[in-house]
Amino acid sequence: MKTITDQIGREVSILKPLKRIVSLVPSQTELLVDLGLENYIVGVTKFCVHPVHIKSVKETVGGTKNIKIEKIKELKPDIILCNKEENTKEIVEACERIAPTHVSDIYTLKDVKDLIIQYGELFSCRTESKRIIEKLQFKTNSFKEFISNQPQKKVAYFIWRNPWMVAGNNNFINHILELNNFKNIYGNKPRYPEIELKKIRLEGDPELVLLSSEPYPFKEEHAFEIGRFTHHAKTVFVDGEMFSWYGSRLLKAFDYFKQLHQRI
């Protein structure tokens, strides 16, 4: 038996080799594939879109917030992978009754590296996890050198409309904004607060308004609607996966961020 402590402090006991994995977190599904574990994945969510073929070759077990628990049972997983933010406490508890369940909790790049190391231990792929971490460290160092020459800009990062919601503090998106030398005008608010557009100038008056591609499909009319309440802020549509997905997606994210700064 092997016991590992997951990222929310729970002890996860592993009684047998982990050959059947259900992943309820899109970014972690992508990480598993990049760790060479695709053949061990038996179930994914409908939001697991990377790699593009994954949903066509694996069983889909619902969404991240609405899982099909009976289908997961039928898959007879050796382990189920969850995330504190993506999945509810009730989902984690239901999964625990089926198989050992590991919960990640990601706020910083250090948390990402810790998760990759844990997966290396759990799935006996230490060489692959070390390789990804080394690449990630190289990309991070290169980006930090690049960003040191970029001026700080005040930003608002929108994730939803009706009601208007933004990224506040205490989440991975805010950490990524900080790495980009963006000052989040809503960094004094917790998590993902609802805001009033008419107060955006009073609450920080951003130079940049970033409209995420997920979870809400923002369009030009939404950019115009927000722009009416700012003082000549530039609105930029951004790839939400690059700001909110962790794991191996970050190997592509830092090149994307360089391109983003060059166009703003």
Side-chain angles (χ1 to χ4, degrees):
M1 183 177 80
K2 177 165 60 176
T3 300
I4 192 167
T5 302
D6 70 12
Q7 291 187 303
I8 61 171
R10 297 160 56 259
E11 287 196 350
V12 182
S13 297
I14 309 300
L15 303 176
K16 58 182 178 179
L18 303 178
K19 302 296 184 182
R20 298 180 64 80
I21 307 168
V22 167
S23 173
L24 301 182
V25 189
S27 55
Q28 291 172 194
T29 298
E30 181 181 40
L31 173 58
L32 292 172
V33 172
D34 288 338
L35 285 168
L37 299 167
E38 181 173 348
N39 290 339
Y40 296 151
I41 301 171
V42 294
V44 299
T45 75
K46 64 182 180 180
F47 301 116
C48 294
V49 295
H50 296 296
V52 292
H53 67 272
I54 197 73
K55 286 194 297 181
S56 65
V57 296
K58 307 296 179 182
E59 285 290 332
T60 303
V61 297
T64 54
K65 298 289 192 293
N66 298 286
I67 62 169
K68 298 176 181 177
I69 199 69
E70 291 304 319
K71 183 171 280 192
I72 293 177
K73 285 182 183 177
E74 292 170 5
L75 292 173
K76 295 180 169 55
D78 298 323
I79 192 166
I80 303 170
L81 303 179
C82 295
N83 173 266
K84 183 180 177 182
E85 183 170 288
E86 293 274 1
N87 312 122
T88 65
K89 182 181 178 183
E90 291 73 24
I91 284 176
V92 171
E93 290 172 346
C95 289
E96 284 180 310
R97 293 191 283 271
I98 299 172
T101 301
H102 181 283
V103 182
S104 64
D105 194 18
I106 306 294
Y107 295 93
T108 66
L109 283 179
K110 181 183 182 304
D111 296 332
V112 173
K113 292 173 186 175
D114 288 345
L115 179 65
I116 297 171
I117 290 170
Q118 282 205 342
Y119 278 9
E121 293 289 329
L122 272 173
F123 302 112
S124 300
C125 55
R126 296 173 188 83
T127 300
E128 291 82 358
S129 67
K130 182 181 178 183
R131 174 182 55 81
I132 290 177
I133 288 173
E134 287 175 347
K135 285 185 177 180
L136 178 56
Q137 192 60 57
F138 175 81
K139 293 280 189 180
T140 305
N141 292 342
S142 174
F143 182 71
K144 285 181 176 178
E145 184 177 346
F146 167 84
I147 205 68
S148 66
N149 297 313
Q150 303 296 318
Q152 186 178 70
K153 292 183 181 294
K154 293 190 298 180
V155 307
Y157 187 100
F158 280 77
I159 62 169
W160 200 257
R161 178 180 179 271
N162 259 353
W164 294 104
M165 295 177 69
V166 296
N169 61 30
N170 202 33
N171 58 55
F172 188 64
I173 292 173
N174 189 62
H175 178 66
I176 293 298
L177 291 174
E178 290 174 347
L179 286 175
N180 276 276
N181 203 20
F182 291 146
K183 181 176 176 55
N184 183 1
I185 68 165
Y186 295 109
N188 60 335
K189 297 181 182 291
R191 305 294 289 159
Y192 304 103
E194 294 182 18
I195 60 127
E196 292 184 58
L197 272 188
K198 63 183 180 181
K199 293 183 178 179
I200 194 170
R201 289 178 68 176
L202 290 174
E203 294 185 313
D205 197 17
E207 299 165 77
L208 288 174
V209 170
L210 305 180
L211 299 183
S212 178
S213 61
E214 61 172 34
Y216 188 87
F218 288 106
K219 297 181 173 59
E220 289 290 345
E221 59 261 34
H222 306 135
F224 177 75
E225 188 177 358
I226 295 170
R228 289 171 48 222
F229 294 96
T230 69
H231 186 252
H232 306 302
K234 182 175 183 178
T235 303
V236 183
F237 292 87
V238 296
D239 187 337
E241 292 176 359
M242 298 301 183
F243 281 87
S244 62
W245 284 39
Y246 42 87
S248 47
R249 173 68 21 175
L250 285 166
L251 298 179
K252 299 176 182 177
F254 287 112
D255 291 333
Y256 171 84
F257 296 146
K258 287 181 181 179
Q259 295 170 3
L260 175 62
H261 282 274
Q262 288 164 352
R263 68 184 171 99
I264 61 177

